[in-house]
Amino acid sequence: MLAASVLVPTAQAAPNGSSASLARTSDNKIQSTAAGESYWTPERMAAAIPAEAPATVKTTSAPQPSGRAGSIAGAAPSVKVQNQQAQGIGVMLNESQTVGKVYFTNPVNNLNYVCSGATVNSGKKKLVQTAGHCVHGGSGGQWMRNWVFVPRYRNGARPFGTWSAYQLTARTAWINSSSSDEDMGIVIMQTLGGNSIANVVGGNGLRWNWGYSVAVTILGYPAGPPFTGELQYFCQGTTWNGHGQQVRAWCNMTGGSSGGPWLQEYNDQNGLGYINSVVSHRHGDPAQMDGPYFDNDIKSLYDFAESLSP
């Protein structure tokens, strides 16, 4: 892998501050696996625009851990899937099969966008972690539509297929106020070929309340110049508090990397690590980026998404 410079309808609300919506197509129908695959033609994928968080970000509180450090272990794939498209596509340096390219349509302007995301392990094996602005437009916005995830996408190749969303979840503080402290999203995926996604590509672990200074590997698909969005890139370094309840790192990835995981203890042999934040936005310095600090809120969102997973 190439390296970047270091570092609506059917909506539900829950008491823990998370909300959800069944995944929909552009014409407001419940999204099926077939609908997701058929909508995302190579032409639409190539024309999709890099998604970025709003330029004006809002913080809601001072930096502080909010409880005891917690951790969920990752899991290796348990199902071997034969895919002709994967033939001859070797793994690049630090490239992970758990990380993929996200595609969706914003119903407000009906434009197609790209983000990044990564699987996270759970009992039902169906969850993908991304940024809140990759599932919902924030204050004044709506839930995204035609939402799909393509693990280890590269130059048009989809070695593990195209996975359609079943249900989108995000923090209500993001949905109502565009709070960048809460720019977190988790998507419940439909099965593909009878398999759940984490069983096919593996699922990363999850960590929260681990402090603002941790060593991470950031993975994603930057699509704004000078990047093309066709390759998975990485940055590595140690984080620090950026502002509010957010972490900051040296990384010059551009739009399209939004939602990409910040992984502790990343193992480039199996493509697994512990997700400790996701790419959210940047301020003035193009060589730095911010992500939400993972505190108890991410565990609440994770539990909420898992409870809705069929």
Side-chain angles (χ1 to χ4, degrees), residues 133-215:
H133 69 270
C134 299
V135 299
H136 190 281
S139 179
Q142 297 181 28
W143 293 99
M144 305 306 180
R145 298 185 180 179
N146 301 319
W147 208 99
V148 299
F149 176 72
V150 186
R152 219 186 82 190
Y153 171 94
R154 193 199 309 161
N155 291 320
R158 313 182 201 184
F160 298 98
T162 302
W163 297 73
S164 292
Y166 165 72
Q167 200 156 15
L168 313 177
T169 76
R171 297 291 295 170
T172 52
W174 169 259
I175 293 170
N176 296 333
S177 305
S178 297
S179 169
S180 53
D181 290 348
E182 300 286 322
D183 191 8
M184 316 165 183
I186 295 180
V187 178
I188 305 162
M189 307 306 298
Q190 300 188 43
T191 58
L192 184 62
N195 296 313
S196 296
I197 190 164
N199 284 332
V200 174
V201 301
N204 291 290
L206 181 69
R207 281 182 174 169
W208 59 98
N209 292 329
W210 278 66
Y212 288 88
S213 179
V214 295

Side-chain angles (χ1 to χ4, degrees), residues 55-98:
T56 301
V57 295
K58 302 176 182 179
T59 59
T60 58
S61 54
Q64 58 181 0
S66 59
R68 181 177 298 177
S71 185
I72 293 168
S78 60
V79 175
K80 186 172 183 179
V81 177
Q82 297 295 330
N83 190 320
Q84 291 299 317
Q85 199 171 21
Q87 301 300 319
I89 303 176
V91 180
M92 297 187 298
L93 174 65
N94 280 337
E95 188 181 37
S96 172
Q97 76 282 352
T98 68

